[in-house]
Amino acid sequence: MELRIDGRAALITGGSKGLGLAIARAFAQAGGAVAIVARNAAQLAEAEAAIRAAAPAAKVAAIAADISTAEGCEAAYAGAVQALGQVDILVNNAGTSQRGPFLEVTDALWQNDLDLKLFAAIRLARLAWPGMQARRWGRIVNVLNTGAKAPPAEGAPTAVTRAAGMALTKVQANEGAKHGILVNALLVGLIDSDQHRRRHAASKTNESYEEWLGKLGASLPMGRYGKAEEFAATALFLCSEGGGYIAGTAINVDGGRSPVV
Ligand SMILES: NC(=O)c1ccc[n+]([C@@H]2O[C@H](COP(=O)([O-])OP(=O)(O)OC[C@H]3O[C@@H](n4cnc5c(N)ncnc54)[C@H](OP(=O)(O)O)[C@@H]3O)[C@@H](O)[C@H]2O)c1
């Protein structure tokens, strides 16, 4: 079965790198129009060009905005509507991994994590929802991590924010289903992305990136890290008609890493 989203317009936060870029590329190749959002304009322009090269017929827009603020979310949504006409699919993907010993997590870190990863998802869904409801078709994918179901020691603030994101997904799914708005979460384990490339560079190891990430992946049940394309394929499935009977789930995309289903 070929997964298609022809005629759908998608807003993808964090679409300039890593998983978000892979999702935007997959959506564009599947017939969708895509608006990618991130802060760094130069990286957005590179990503826009890469998506156009992979899907020359697709409508692609790049919007520079910081979605950790209400104004940034409004600018991101307005930019997407201006470029694409509407938003049928919202992928709340932008995020960072902030974690440490509980006593070292300051109020500022908590707030920053909640603003970027929880409030952005709330605000953007609030903006996109009325149009989806009027058209009786919408998809929202909240990208979380496996800590949402299994919060580890030193997992704050991210695991707490992600657990809230899972609850948000269920609340929205329960309200949206009758309007044709299907809301689901994807829980990331260890997937190749720019985030890990930055960590590899910061580690100052002599190992190549592939060796370094390969060792981390070797401990997982599947014995390897995931590819961004594999993650994007799951997001595409949820947003295609093939995912038309799925609402309120939180799917681990983690090679079996999560200790809970
Ligand atoms: N890859 C993994 O193994 C993994 C594991 C667990 C969870 N995740 C989650 O999966 C999502 C994607 O991760 P990734 O690995 O692809 O990360 P990444 O390679 O670091 O990409 C993050 C993206 O988010 C954007 N972004 C960050 N802060 C933003 C802000 N304030 N406003 C707008 N855009 C912002 C970045 O662009 P700018 O910096 O230019 O803004 C970039 O496009 C994140 O939510 C992450 O926490 C990933």
Side-chain angles (χ1 to χ4, degrees), residues 33-250:
V34 296
I36 55 172
V37 179
R39 292 163 303 179
N40 185 303
Q43 284 165 355
L44 269 172
E46 265 180 47
E48 185 182 359
I51 298 165
R52 283 188 200 284
K59 201 182 255 189
V60 186
I63 302 156
D66 179 351
I67 59 152
S68 65
T69 67
E71 300 73 33
C73 289
E74 281 156 21
Y77 180 73
V81 170
Q82 192 182 15
L84 310 182
Q86 61 193 49
V87 172
D88 304 303
I89 298 170
L90 169 63
V91 182
N92 289 309
N93 163 78
T96 54
S97 176
Q98 300 202 85
R99 48 180 296 181
F102 173 68
L103 289 181
E104 291 177 18
V105 183
T106 61
D107 281 5
L109 278 174
W110 276 107
Q111 195 60 57
N112 181 264
D113 207 60
L114 288 162
D115 284 342
L116 173 59
K117 287 154 44 181
L118 182 65
F119 273 95
I122 292 169
R123 289 166 171 151
L124 286 166
R126 213 160 39 201
L127 289 164
W129 192 286
M132 293 178 179
Q133 184 167 323
R135 294 186 295 276
R136 299 204 53 76
W137 197 99
R139 297 280 194 275
I140 299 176
V141 177
N142 292 321
V143 176
L144 309 174
N145 69 29
T146 52
K149 290 181 189 171
E154 303 193 1
T158 194
V160 178
T161 304
R162 296 318 199 173
M166 210 161 72
L168 174 71
T169 299
K170 199 68 184 166
V171 167
Q172 292 176 328
N174 286 338
E175 293 188 30
K178 63 177 177 292
H179 302 296
I181 303 172
L182 307 186
V183 189
N184 291 286
L186 294 178
L187 275 52
V188 191
L190 179 72
I191 301 188
D192 180 18
S193 74
D194 297 73
Q195 171 187 168
H196 295 301
R197 287 190 183 275
R198 289 194 300 275
R199 273 198 205 131
H200 169 257
S203 76
K204 307 244 189 297
T205 171
N206 290 325
E207 293 172 318
S208 69
Y209 174 67
E210 285 71 24
E211 283 168 339
W212 176 83
L213 196 62
K215 275 189 188 163
L216 294 177
S219 63
L220 304 181
M222 284 180 64
R224 67 172 179 86
Y225 58 83
K227 298 180 203 147
E229 293 71 29
E230 293 172 307
F231 186 77
T234 316
L236 177 60
F237 171 68
L238 286 177
C239 297
S240 71
E241 294 311 311
Y245 197 56
I246 305 176
T249 59

